[in-house]
Every structure is written in C-alpha cells, then in structure tokens.
Amino acid sequence: MSFSVYEITVPVMVHGLNVMDSYLDDAQALEWSKGFEPGRILSERLASNMISFGEQFSVSCNKVEAHMAKLMQHDPPRPRNTPMLYSALKDRLLETRGGLERVEPDAIAGAQSHVYELTPPIARGWFGGDDYIRHLVLPDFFFHISIAHAILRHLGAMIGKRDYLGNLSQQTGGDYS
C-alpha cells in the first residue's frame, strides 16, 4: 500500500495541531490548579537553551506553513511572531489548521519527486522529496509537539501518551478492537 504526500502530511499535521490546541487548554488548567500566574507556562522551557512552551506553537505553525509552501513549490511565507498569549496562540493554530484544510491533494501530488534546497541552521544541501518529507518535515513537526508535551509533564500536568496521540479515529476502516 502506498500513501500520497497529501495523506502523510496534511491530515497528520491537522491532527497534530489539534493535539497542540489541547495542550494550550492543559497548560491553562495546570496554571489554575497550581495557582501559577496566568500565562506563566507560556514562558517555561525544558532547558535554558531551548525555545519556550509558547514559542513551540508559534514556531510549529511557521514551519508547517513553510514546509507546505515548499512542497507545493511556492515561496514560503515570512515567519510570524505570535504574541505569547493563549488566545493568540489558539488563533494561530486555528489559522494554520484552516490553511492545511484548504490544501487540495493535487497541489502537493508528486512533491516526493521534487528536489528541495535546505539552508542552515538545520541542514545545507539538496534533498529529494522522499527524504525531505520523511527526515525533516514530519520529524520537525513532531519535535515541537513532543517538547510542548515534555514541558507540561515536567511542570506536573497529568498528561500521557494518550494525550500525545490525540483523538484517534479510524479514517480508513478496519476493525482494531
């Protein structure tokens, strides 16, 4: 069985953005339950040289848009700085998710056959589409979800793998019970 570029990127990223949206709710609930100042978790970091919890969301949205533009052979949009407010980050996630939902499968059909130039800081060189998608686009996306998850866990949120996996539904049928 083979998957189209659309099938392994767009629905997967929409699902991941939904998980990130729930993490913003989890962060606010954690602040309330622990008596933290509202918005404190947005500035928390897993390590001092890493971006903050809130920045994980802003950067992830910027990267989704840049990766999708590259796959569609469009110029990437300029990265945007989202204010570190829950409402602004939720709006940014919603906007990014909406953009993904408007991508037509034909718009990225064949993207695995193209060659993409990558520039620092991550990598330098030309990458075939399969490698670009499998070794950068998807891992890069999941990295930011994982770090947001880890920051929440580190601060005491009662979330686990089930939360990271999000609302699983069978899109293609089959009985897995």
Side-chain angles (χ1 to χ4, degrees), residues 127-164:
F127 289 78
D130 281 339
D131 288 337
Y132 175 62
I133 295 163
R134 287 183 300 185
H135 301 297
L136 181 60
V137 173
L138 293 173
D140 190 29
F141 178 68
F142 288 115
F143 174 81
H144 294 287
I145 299 172
S146 299
I147 297 302
H149 180 95
I151 291 170
L152 285 177
R153 282 296 305 251
H154 177 72
L155 294 172
M158 299 306 295
I159 58 172
K161 186 187 287 188
R162 182 72 188 94
D163 301 284
Y164 177 82

Side-chain angles (χ1 to χ4, degrees), residues 42-78:
L42 294 175
S43 63
E44 292 288 334
R45 300 168 191 275
L46 197 55
S48 63
N49 64 345
M50 295 179 79
I51 65 175
S52 70
F53 178 79
E55 290 167 318
Q56 298 296 334
F57 295 82
S58 180
V59 167
S60 184
C61 289
N62 286 338
K63 287 185 174 188
V64 164
E65 292 170 349
H67 287 314
M68 292 309 295
K70 194 174 278 238
L71 291 172
M72 292 187 289
Q73 297 190 314
H74 297 160
D75 290 332
R78 296 188 77 189

Side-chain angles (χ1 to χ4, degrees), residues 3 13 15 27 31 33 68 74 85 92 104 155 165 177:
F3 294 98
M13 289 179 172
H15 182 80
E31 285 177 349
S33 71
M68 292 309 295
H74 297 160
L85 303 167
R92 183 74 173 101
E104 294 293 329
L155 294 172
L165 294 176
S177 54

Side-chain angles (χ1 to χ4, degrees), residues 60-107:
S60 184
C61 289
N62 286 338
K63 287 185 174 188
V64 164
E65 292 170 349
H67 287 314
M68 292 309 295
K70 194 174 278 238
L71 291 172
M72 292 187 289
Q73 297 190 314
H74 297 160
D75 290 332
R78 296 188 77 189
R80 295 183 11 216
N81 291 323
T82 305
M84 291 297 113
L85 303 167
Y86 287 108
S87 60
L89 292 167
K90 282 187 158 284
D91 288 346
R92 183 74 173 101
L93 286 173
L94 184 63
E95 179 184 349
T96 304
R97 188 174 57 214
L100 282 172
E101 290 170 341
R102 288 188 296 278
V103 171
E104 294 293 329
D106 288 346

